Amino acid sequence: MYDGETVRAPYLDLSGWVSDMPPELLDLKRAEADALFRRIGITFAVYGEGGDPERLIPFDIFPRVFTAHEWRRLERGVKQRAQALNAFLRDVYDRAEIVRAGRIPAERIFQNAAYEPAVVGIQPPRGIYSHIVGVDIVRTGPTDFFVLEDNCRTPSGVSYMLENREIMMRMFPDLFQRNRVEPVDDYPNQLRRTLMSVAPGSCKGEPTVVLLTPGSLNSAYYEHSFLADQMGVELVEGQDLFVDGDHVYMRTTMGPKRVDVIYRRIDDDFLDPLCFRPDSMLGVPGLMNVYRSGNVAIASAPGAGVADDKAIYTYVPEMIRFYLGEEPVLANVPTWQCGNPDDLAYVLGNLSDLVVKEVHGSGGYGMLVGPAATRAEVEAYARRIKANPSEFIAQPTLSLSTTPTYVESGLAPRHVDLRPYCLVGERIHLCAGGLTRVALREGSLVVNSSQGGGVKDTWVLAD
């Protein structure tokens, strides 16, 4: 919000809004936001910690703001990565030219647990593997943005982006009258249009789209039901679908209905027990045979996860150069691959200064934040790395930007990141906003909701 002692231009109105708000009104509005989240049922689930797994995600009423100029740069960079990642997926499940050219070691791809040999040779509709790309971005200076990771499978959190805006507009309509904030409420329509645009060529008439969920026990079930409702499509579980011949059908009260596009929110391993895990009760037996025949689109495609694996992340700038012939707009965070002997030696010698992550980890679990760790924690983590070096990467501890956030003691700086959502179909569309996650614990760099993080509205100001 501040550049030294000066309030940055996009925050000028908000600065006055904060200073003019009486403390009792602030407390009332915070309580109102919590009540709205409870009433609507905006929750996520955390398992393994005891007690009720359903948690209310903390919501901060102070928005994060980007200028139109800043957003145009982010938009170019995110779209560029989405294009390159899809080109990479098309390539590695076909001729693997990037490996032949020596740009990425073969073992990084073909020995990766997220690589799916069952997908080799299958060309999805329009050649698109990852239809919803969530790119996690951090800011370290006025013009410095870095990509922390890419999410090419089923990036979550978009429901919070939409509900954050809805609640802010309900509570503070005057703010939106005074500021020209780009809307985000068209995202569900854009998502549906994207999914319909990748329907298989055998589809006649308007495509039937469904959202496949693992069920109500999944941590993101609220989002699954929310998006299905907002798009006006059926929310289905595996038992609601069946394969007959070369097509997938949905059971309805009017009889079977052919399904053309499946927006799946379940992992590859559980999609089809005849192809992946035979004990899966969540998927649809025979689904992959229909997918191979070209009679159903799956978004995102099976096997897309190899593109967002943390071991592959370091090669995304090279993908951009190789497939697009361009220089990356957004830089990666410098990363050490512990599977490389030289990198391993450096990481082990500097663990207390680094952030170390599991290659296949997510949700903020299994991380070591060196500067915040005890000596015993560092030593224990070093033993884990030595036991299986290739399963870890390390990055420097960045000086992440902060935004004003309401905590118990009042307004205070807290670290944030950003996840914008890029839709890839007949065209590439980036919603003018995103999910801003905030680390509510003082000094913490971990923003994940499962690790005590919260969310706030993200504003992109129109020109």
Side-chain angles (χ1 to χ4, degrees):
M1 178 171 171
Y2 288 94
D3 181 7
E5 297 296 320
T6 306
V7 177
R8 295 177 56 239
Y11 282 96
L12 281 173
D13 185 71
L14 286 171
S15 175
W17 170 69
V18 168
S19 60
D20 293 342
M21 186 181 296
E24 58 272 16
L25 178 58
L26 169 61
D27 291 338
L28 182 66
K29 288 296 185 181
R30 291 177 64 192
E32 182 183 345
D34 286 345
L36 284 169
F37 265 63
R38 285 193 180 89
R39 189 182 313 152
I40 296 170
I42 307 174
T43 61
F44 67 100
V46 176
Y47 302 107
E49 295 183 3
D52 186 355
E54 290 295 321
R55 307 288 171 84
L56 190 71
I57 193 165
F59 172 68
D60 183 61
I61 64 174
F62 196 100
R64 183 185 191 179
V65 188
F66 291 95
T67 65
H69 175 73
E70 289 170 336
W71 191 256
R72 280 193 289 270
R73 180 185 169 203
L74 290 176
E75 183 176 34
R76 289 196 309 273
V78 171
K79 286 183 174 181
Q80 183 189 59
R81 288 182 83 92
Q83 282 183 285
L85 289 164
N86 270 286
F88 169 75
L89 287 165
R90 284 193 297 272
D91 184 27
V92 298
Y93 287 113
D94 189 22
R95 290 182 51 80
E97 297 291 352
I98 199 165
V99 175
R100 295 168 187 262
R103 304 294 184 91
I104 302 179
E107 62 272 14
R108 288 277 188 268
I109 300 168
F110 303 124
Q111 294 179 16
N112 193 301
Y115 184 80
E116 294 290 359
V119 182
V120 172
I122 299 177
Q123 279 296 322
R126 296 187 182 274
I128 299 167
Y129 282 80
S130 183
H131 306 79
I132 304 98
V133 181
V135 179
D136 291 351
I137 299 171
V138 293
R139 186 175 197 160
T140 61
T143 61
D144 300 323
F145 295 93
F146 290 91
V147 174
L148 273 183
E149 64 180 52
D150 306 284
N151 299 276
C152 297
R153 301 174 228 200
T154 54
S156 61
V158 74
S159 59
Y160 300 126
M161 174 188 80
L162 298 169
E163 293 286 24
N164 292 346
R165 178 62 55 83
E166 175 70 22
I167 288 174
M168 284 294 290
M169 292 183 73
R170 187 182 303 186
M171 293 198 308
F172 305 110
D174 55 315
L175 274 182
F176 291 89
Q177 291 172 357
R178 301 201 307 261
N179 293 275
R180 296 180 59 205
V181 182
E182 294 282 4
V184 297
D185 57 357
D186 194 43
Y187 178 87
N189 291 329
Q190 291 287 354
L191 176 57
R192 179 172 181 170
R193 281 195 284 269
T194 296
L195 295 171
M196 292 175 67
S197 75
V198 297
S202 60
C203 172
K204 306 300 180 187
E206 183 172 300
T208 297
V209 179
V210 298
L211 192 156
L212 177 61
T213 176
S216 60
L217 296 180
N218 185 264
S219 61
Y221 182 72
Y222 168 80
E223 176 159 297
H224 304 167
S225 57
F226 174 85
L227 285 176
D229 181 61
Q230 292 291 306
M231 287 193 289
V233 305
E234 293 293 337
L235 179 69
V236 300
E237 296 182 30
Q239 60 192 356
D240 300 317
L241 304 178
F242 68 94
V243 169
D244 187 5
D246 288 334
H247 300 285
V248 180
Y249 294 89
M250 171 174 52
R251 294 182 173 91
T252 76
T253 55
M254 303 296 290
K257 183 175 183 180
R258 180 178 162 182
V259 172
D260 303 295
V261 182
I262 299 174
Y263 174 29
R264 55 85 173 233
R265 296 297 297 259
I266 68 177
D267 294 339
D268 288 358
D269 283 350
F270 300 96
L271 270 177
D272 181 351
L274 301 182
C275 183
F276 302 115
R277 281 184 55 159
D279 61 342
S280 171
M281 302 294 288
L282 303 176
V284 185
L287 175 60
M288 287 302 293
N289 287 335
V290 181
Y291 184 60
R292 288 188 192 95
S293 71
N295 288 326
V296 70
I298 302 176
S300 288
V306 72
D308 66 17
D309 186 89
K310 292 180 177 65
I312 296 295
Y313 156 86
T314 56
Y315 299 100
V316 176
E318 196 57 40
M319 293 179 200
I320 293 170
R321 299 183 186 100
F322 184 77
Y323 296 115
L324 307 183
E326 302 169 356
E327 283 301 308
V329 174
L330 298 174
N332 273 19
V333 177
T335 302
W336 292 273
Q337 301 247 13
C338 295
N340 298 332
D342 291 345
D343 286 6
L344 176 63
Y346 177 84
V347 170
L348 291 175
N350 296 273
L351 263 185
S352 59
D353 299 321
L354 302 173
V355 175
V356 190
K357 305 175 184 178
E358 296 173 346
V359 166
H360 305 301
S362 63
Y365 293 104
M367 288 175 54
L368 174 77
V369 181
T374 65
R375 181 174 178 179
E377 288 171 336
V378 169
E379 290 174 352
Y381 211 94
R383 289 193 292 271
R384 290 184 60 201
I385 296 172
K386 291 174 184 176
N388 200 346
S390 62
E391 292 299 305
F392 297 89
I393 63 166
Q395 296 172 329
T397 307
L398 299 179
S399 178
L400 304 188
S401 65
T402 60
T403 61
T405 303
Y406 286 109
V407 294
E408 291 301 319
S409 59
L411 200 63
R414 290 293 184 267
H415 295 294
V416 292
D417 78 350
L418 173 72
R419 177 179 291 179
Y421 297 89
C422 188
L423 300 175
V424 185
E426 187 175 31
R427 55 187 291 268
I428 300 180
H429 173 78
L430 185 72
C431 186
L435 176 66
T436 289
R437 300 181 296 181
V438 53
L440 294 176
R441 297 178 186 138
E442 185 176 3
S444 174
L445 300 175
V446 183
V447 299
N448 306 77
S449 55
S450 56
Q451 305 292 305
V455 295
K456 55 170 67 201
D457 194 12
T458 307
W459 287 10
V460 176
L461 299 181
D463 280 326

